[in-house]
């Protein structure tokens, strides 16, 4: 797929919040339907197709159970417009997307005026169709208040490499899991090339997040459970793949489909991000409830954090969605940079700071364990951040 425009790589990214797969009925001429064969877009997983030329009546019979109807309309075929109007009158609660070859502006306007939810071109373009369906579904379910609540998703992002994002992310997942039953927190290693979250958590199993992204129509809760690696901390890990591939080699829609699936089955989803910034990462971040930017009290880290915050802002991510976490904070009387300086320099409050606990953090990682202990400042600091995030989410849901 193409994403964004050349002048600004991230400018045309849609908001993916609330996207969900519903039952999609599609009625179109055989030759248009044929071109849909082999589509394995998770957003179109609920597609049910009926072949019918524009004037033919519908034979479905189970229209009451569908969430959205995609119907071909032929401008020169009045019967096709009547068919659409009849369906609309009989099922006013089902949004209709009209599929038209060579639509004139006048026809599009007339259809929208008559209550059609959206219009797509023929022959079908997978991206256009999936996008329209997702948006219409999100709109109607928001209207009916039926959207299945997706679990909060928090992405942990670095300011600079090595600033401690993975340490914060894994311990945050552990803190969120601590108060819960097993298998309620999912940790996804999106450092696809070099990620080591599974090792840090001694998570056992062999599957990776890429197996889910490549599953196509087989993507479901059973496959998800099979790929999830369990860990002693209670966190389920969706590990980075074994082999290294180009970072761009990720389908954004599939990744979002996978994350939505996780968010329907877990209570919390934590993402560990790599240092590099890719298109798919930006796309995905738009759907995150919180982005934790891990910074250190150093000029290079603050400088890079500033640039990243600007980037997030430029693609429309709200400032309130991004939280600062200051890592490796030393208890010292005199410092060149204080937490207040960080907040002032970056123009937003600090959600929490995390103590420097060398060499305990890296020693625990080497053993494949999370650091524990009520008296360990690193542990209590991350737990405080987890509690603050939970408070924010509870406040939003109140
Ligand atoms: N607060 C801390 N106290 C002591 N050691 C820390 C702390 N935070 C991180 N470390 C150590 O610093 C090293 C780098 O941390 P980590 O791997 O979490 O960073 P990262 O930002 O994910 O880096 P990468 O660029 O490799 O993804 C690790 O050895 C980790 O144990
Ligand atoms: Mg890392």
């Amino acid at each position: 797929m193409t994403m964004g425009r050349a002048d600004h790589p991230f400018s045309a990214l849609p908001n993916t919040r609330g996207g969900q797969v519903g039952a999609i009925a599609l009625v179109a001429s055989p030759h248009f339907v044929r071109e849909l064969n082999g589509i394995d877009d998770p957003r179109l997983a609920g597609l049910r197709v009926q072949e019918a030329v524009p004037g033919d009546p519908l034979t479905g019979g189970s229209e009451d159970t569908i969430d959205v109807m995609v119907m071909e309309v032929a401008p020169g075929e009045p019967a096709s417009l009547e068919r659409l109007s009849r369906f609309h009158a009989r099922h006013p609660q089902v949004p209709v997307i009209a599929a038209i070859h060579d639509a004139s502006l006048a026809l599009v306007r007339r259809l929208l005026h008559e209550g059609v939810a959206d219009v797509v071109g023929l022959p079908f373009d997978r991206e256009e169709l999936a996008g329209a369906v997702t948006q219409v579904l999100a709109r109607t379910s928001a209207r009916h208040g039926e959207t299945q609540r997706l679990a909060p998703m928090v992405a942990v992002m670095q300011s600079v490499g090595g600033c401690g994002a993975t340490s914060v992310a894994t311990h945050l997942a552990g803190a969120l899991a601590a108060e819960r039953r097993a298998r309620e927190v999912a940790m996804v290693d999106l450092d696809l090339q070099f990620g080591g979250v599974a090792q840090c958590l001694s998570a056992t199993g062999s599957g990776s997040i890429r197996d889910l992204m490549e599953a196509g129509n087989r993507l479901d809760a059973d496959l998800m459970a099979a790929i999830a690696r369990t860990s002693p901390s209670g966190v389920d890990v969706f590990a980075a793949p074994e082999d290294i591939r180009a970072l761009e080699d990720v389908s954004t829609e599939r990744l979002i489909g996978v994350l939505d699936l996780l968010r329907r089955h877990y209570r919390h989803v934590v993402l560990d991000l790599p240092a590099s910034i890719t298109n798919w990462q930006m796309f995905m971040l738009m759907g995150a409830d919180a982005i934790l930017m891990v910074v250190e009290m150093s000029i290079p880290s603050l400088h890079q954090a500033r640039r990243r915050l600007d980037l997030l802002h430029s693609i429309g991510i709200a400032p309130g969605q991004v939280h600062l976490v200051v890592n490796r904070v030393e208890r010292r009387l005199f410092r060149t940079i204080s937490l207040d300086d960080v907040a002032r320099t970056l123009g937003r409050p600090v959600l929490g700071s995390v103590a420097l606990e060398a060499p305990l953090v890296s020693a625990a990682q080497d053993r494949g364990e999370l650091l524990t202990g009520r008296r360990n400042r690193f542990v209590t600091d991350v737990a405080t951040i987890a509690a603050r995030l939970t408070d924010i989410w509870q406040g939003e849901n109140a």
Side-chain angles (χ1 to χ4, degrees):
M1 69 178 277
T2 52
M3 269 183 293
R5 297 192 308 258
D7 55 342
H8 190 316
F10 306 127
S11 58
L13 307 183
N15 193 335
T16 53
R17 269 166 197 264
Q20 56 172 284
V21 177
I24 310 152
L26 184 145
V27 181
S29 305
H31 61 286
F32 290 130
V33 167
R34 232 171 283 133
E35 306 201 340
L36 286 169
N37 281 344
I39 272 192
D40 65 345
D41 190 308
R43 294 172 298 176
L44 297 175
L47 199 61
R48 296 183 216 155
V49 173
Q50 184 195 327
E51 293 187 357
V53 293
D56 276 355
L58 302 179
T59 59
S62 58
E63 285 100 358
D64 287 326
T65 60
I66 64 180
D67 297 310
V68 57
M69 165 63 89
V70 183
M71 195 184 288
E72 181 181 356
V73 171
E77 183 76 64
S80 75
L81 274 167
E82 278 164 31
R83 179 176 73 178
L84 184 132
S85 305
R86 250 198 328 273
F87 176 85
H88 200 40
R90 221 179 298 146
H91 307 281
Q93 78 290 358
V94 180
V96 179
I97 297 174
I100 316 172
H101 177 61
D102 250 343
S104 69
L105 196 57
L107 177 62
V108 172
R109 220 183 265 138
R110 178 175 156 200
L111 287 168
L112 293 176
H113 190 70
E114 283 187 8
V116 162
D118 207 342
V119 176
V120 296
L122 282 173
F124 288 111
D125 172 79
R126 180 188 64 117
E127 193 47 46
E128 186 188 24
L129 179 63
V133 163
T134 311
Q135 277 189 10
V136 167
L137 281 175
R139 255 188 349 239
T140 46
S141 52
R143 206 181 313 135
H144 298 312
E146 299 166 345
T147 315
Q148 186 187 351
R149 260 229 136 73
L150 294 178
M153 179 164 84
V154 50
V156 183
M157 193 178 193
Q158 303 177 319
S159 50
V160 285
C163 67
T166 302
S167 308
V168 169
T170 49
H171 286 82
L172 176 68
L176 290 169
E179 308 285 318
R180 314 194 155 275
R181 277 176 279 141
R183 318 211 71 167
E184 290 200 340
V185 176
M187 161 105 227
V188 185
D189 194 347
L190 288 177
D191 190 351
L192 296 177
Q193 292 181 315
F194 307 111
V197 168
Q199 288 73 33
C200 286
L201 292 173
S202 292
T204 49
S206 57
S208 82
I209 183 76
R210 195 192 283 141
D211 295 327
L212 294 180
M213 290 194 267
E214 291 179 350
N217 289 335
R218 293 179 296 110
L219 181 66
D220 61 14
D222 289 340
L223 184 68
M224 179 194 78
I227 295 296
R229 301 191 191 189
T230 53
S231 74
S233 60
V235 174
D236 272 13
V237 176
F238 293 86
E242 281 299 321
D243 57 324
I244 300 180
R245 285 200 215 157
L247 259 194
E248 306 77 53
D249 188 23
V250 168
S251 151
T252 314
E253 307 89 71
R254 290 189 193 186
L255 175 60
I256 288 170
V258 168
L259 294 177
D260 277 359
L261 180 71
L262 300 191
R263 296 174 76 181
R264 280 196 288 273
H265 286 86
Y266 288 89
R267 297 283 289 270
H268 291 283
V269 176
V270 179
L271 313 176
D272 185 31
L273 302 182
S276 49
I277 299 181
T278 50
N279 238 329
W280 56 263
Q281 218 188 95
M282 289 296 108
F283 234 126
M284 179 212 66
L285 284 175
M286 305 185 82
D289 294 85
I291 301 167
L292 300 192
M293 171 82 64
V294 180
V295 302
E296 289 176 285
M297 290 168 140
S298 72
I299 301 297
S301 169
L302 295 182
H303 177 64
Q304 295 306 333
R306 168 85 270 154
R307 298 181 61 219
R308 283 172 183 242
L309 291 172
D310 288 346
L311 173 65
L312 295 176
H313 181 69
S314 76
I315 62 166
I317 288 178
Q321 222 177 315
V322 190
H323 306 273
L324 298 178
V325 169
V326 185
N327 189 24
R328 290 203 180 91
V329 174
E330 290 179 78
R331 240 195 295 205
R332 274 194 314 209
L333 209 46
F334 301 104
R335 292 196 255 253
T336 41
I337 301 175
S338 70
L339 284 181
D340 284 347
D341 292 333
V342 174
R344 210 171 318 112
T345 307
L346 298 179
R348 67 196 64 210
V350 171
L351 180 71
S353 63
V354 179
L356 175 75
E357 281 284 14
L360 293 180
V361 181
S362 57
Q365 272 159 356
D366 291 345
R367 292 194 305 274
E369 289 172 6
L370 287 180
L371 203 52
T372 52
R374 283 169 195 273
R375 302 172 76 88
N376 183 291
R377 286 197 53 222
F378 180 94
V379 175
T380 53
D381 285 348
V382 177
T384 304
I385 290 169
R388 287 186 184 151
L389 281 175
T390 322
D391 283 350
I392 292 172
W393 293 327
Q394 271 163 3
E396 280 171 3
N397 291 347

